[in-house]
């Protein structure tokens, strides 16, 4: 089959397009999907670059998100047919541990993400457990079905399930360009919140406005945490979404109101941040972390996409063989929305 192979960790130059990779066979409880679209995530670049101690068998097929048609059924699979249009939940869990049995699959003792520590989706065919499938309605394209899952389920779980965001609250989203952040704007609006966004330049500020942000602060033009304080009548916001980390946590602590919550699902500027604990206890701040989502949140957020209440934004489409080019575009940081590979 056709596939993209990561041959060694490093730059996008290490991604090679091949046409003779062995086609996988579905195991018991699994299906094989003929992939029509796969989407890029920041995760793909982190895995490609590698980190100290990473133990990933190479060559590796990257990619967490995909949509396509069921091509073959493994033993024991019921309720699905060859030809069904599907997208996948990229969260892989055992289904048996204490956390899985209580519906918190993202806390699974053997939790994995498709394409991070298992074979990914930049390929003509993939195999995955039938438990991870969701049927795509006819009006949803394969590109939309591939673009949505990872970023939407991550943002939904953080804002709604973990963050308990409620109508009438105010939310500050630090950074407008990343996949999870742009999706967070839409979800926070749908939840009935007033949305503030900190953007790094005027172009990203304009995109955030298009997605429904109520107030956008261009951090190239003003001190953003001071601006939040002023624009909220010296109160601060109820919730801050900070997936930047090291460079922004102090500003987030300044921007959140007394009793407020800071949500994080990542740390694009670095993992080690200094915290002045006096602010945490004096202001009664909660810092709430999460990663990925249980399957129930995946189903909930995808249903809202199918109903048109949330919309995956696709900014560029490349054929599979140009995956390296597509990753370079994402790394350059000039795109707003998802990059999709068509297979
Ligand atoms: Zn488990």
């Amino acid at each position: 089959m056709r596939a993209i192979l990561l041959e060694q960790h490093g730059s996008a130059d290490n991604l090679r397009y091949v046409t003779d990779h062995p086609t996988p066979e579905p195991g018991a409880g699994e299906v094989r999907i003929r992939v029509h679209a796969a989407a890029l995530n920041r995760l793909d670049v982190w895995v490609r670059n590698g980190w100290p101690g990473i133990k990933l068998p190479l060559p590796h097929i990257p990619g967490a998100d995909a949509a396509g048609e069921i091509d073959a059924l493994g033993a024991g699979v019921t309720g699905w047919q060859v030809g069904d249009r599907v997208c996948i939940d990229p969260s892989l869990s055992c289904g048996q541990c204490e956390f899985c049995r209580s519906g918190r699959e993202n806390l699974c003792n053997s939790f994995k993400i498709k394409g991070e520590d298992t074979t990914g989706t930049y390929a003509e065919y993939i195999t995955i457990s039938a438990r991870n499938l969701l049927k795509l309605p006819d009006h949803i394209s394969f590109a939309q079905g591939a673009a949505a899952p990872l970023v939407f389920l991550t943002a939904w779980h953080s804002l709604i399930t973990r963050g308990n965001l409620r109508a009438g609250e105010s939310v500050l989203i630090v950074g407008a360009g990343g996949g999870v952040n742009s999706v967070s704007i839409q979800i926070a609006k749908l939840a009935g919140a007033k949305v503030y966004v900190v953007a790094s330049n005027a172009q990203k500020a304009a995109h955030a406005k298009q997605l429904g942000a109520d107030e956008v602060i261009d951090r190239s033009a003003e001190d953003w945490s001071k601006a939040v304080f002023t624009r909220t009548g010296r109160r601060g916001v109820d919730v801050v979404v900070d997936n930047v980390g090291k460079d922004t946590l102090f500003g987030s602590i300044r921007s959140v109101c007394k009793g407020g919550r800071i949500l994080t699902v990542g740390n694009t500027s670095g993992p080690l941040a200094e915290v002045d604990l006096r602010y945490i206890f004096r202001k009664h701040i909660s810092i709430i972390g999460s990663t990925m989502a249980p399957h129930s949140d995946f189903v909930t957020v995808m249903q809202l996409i199918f109903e048109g209440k949330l919309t995956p934004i696709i900014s560029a489409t490349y054929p599979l063989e140009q995956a390296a080019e597509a990753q370079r575009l994402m790394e350059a940081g000039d795109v707003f929305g998802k990059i999709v590979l068509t297979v």
Side-chain angles (χ1 to χ4, degrees), residues 93-101 105 107-111:
S93 56
C94 76
Q96 287 161 15
C97 72
E98 168 198 348
F99 298 103
C100 284
R101 281 187 284 114
E105 295 92 345
L107 301 184
C108 175
N109 288 332
S110 51
F111 185 78

Side-chain angles (χ1 to χ4, degrees), residues 17-50:
Y17 172 69
V18 298
T19 57
D20 58 353
H21 197 72
T23 301
E25 291 299 326
E30 291 184 336
V31 302
R32 183 169 65 205
I33 298 170
R34 193 171 97 68
V35 176
H36 286 255
L40 273 65
N41 289 289
R42 282 272 153 200
L43 175 68
D44 307 350
V45 170
W46 296 328
V47 171
R48 194 200 69 207
N49 287 335

Side-chain angles (χ1 to χ4, degrees), residues 1 3-6 21 57 59-63 115 118-123 125:
M1 68 170 182
I4 296 293
L5 298 181
L6 173 65
H21 197 72
H60 169 73
I61 299 177
T118 66
T119 300
T121 58
Y122 292 12
Y125 295 94

